[in-house]
Amino acid sequence: MPVKNELSAEERKQLVAAARAARGNAYAPYSKYPVGAAIRTSGGKVYAGANVENASYPVGLCAERVALFSAAAAGEREFRAVAVVTREGAPPCGACRQALAEFGLELEVIMADEKGWICQVSTLDTLLPSAFGGKEEENPHR
Ligand code: ZN
């Protein structure tokens, strides 16, 4: 499917490489399912994250939200793409899709497997149809 304003093949490779590297830092002793993510701002900066689990399971956080919140905490608000690396190239979970949607639905979502092969490229509005959001006037990103 066509993605508007998509990254170049090289930019995708770099973002996947950052997500793959972050996956190596995942703390996933319970699920044994390490995930890495890297989000690229519209200005070209990259913030990476890995899933961090906890003995109290719901306390842990997905890689995508670690990357997103790290970027947001650094003041970033505009994002162009996110890469997610899992064993088999799985898409982000619903909670992460919602978290990402806060900053715009045109985000390119790149899903790659543990070897770095890109399995799917999509957009957030495709992955999260009928997204929940605030009022138009309160959220200029929609
Ligand atoms: Zn998630």
Side-chain angles (χ1 to χ4, degrees):
M1 73 198 71
V3 175
K4 218 165 68 177
N5 192 27
E6 63 186 20
L7 295 185
S8 69
E10 187 57 35
E11 288 169 334
R12 278 183 187 161
K13 261 177 70 177
Q14 289 171 356
L15 200 58
V16 167
R20 204 170 162 226
R23 184 174 178 263
N25 295 326
Y27 178 72
Y30 306 104
S31 71
K32 312 255 191 271
Y33 190 78
V35 180
I39 191 162
R40 184 185 163 107
T41 69
S42 53
K45 274 192 183 176
V46 172
Y47 294 83
N51 53 333
V52 181
E53 297 181 347
N54 190 276
S56 175
Y57 289 5
V59 175
L61 196 61
C62 298
E64 298 91 321
R65 276 178 282 164
V66 170
L68 173 67
F69 295 167
S70 172
E76 303 289 354
R77 297 292 184 267
E78 292 182 12
F79 304 101
R80 191 158 165 218
V82 64
V84 184
V85 173
T86 63
R87 187 176 302 140
E88 77 285 32
C93 78
C96 286
R97 294 177 202 194
Q98 178 64 39
L100 291 162
E102 183 68 22
F103 298 97
L105 291 167
E106 289 190 1
L107 187 76
E108 180 177 334
V109 183
I110 302 156
M111 292 149 271
D113 71 11
E114 63 189 346
K115 290 182 176 149
W117 293 107
I118 295 173
C119 304
Q120 191 186 346
V121 178
S122 188
T123 59
L124 195 55
D125 62 352
T126 299
L127 294 174
L128 189 67
S130 303
F132 175 84
K135 290 178 187 166
E136 288 280 326
E137 62 271 22
E138 291 174 358
N139 190 343
H141 298 291
R142 286 174 201 285

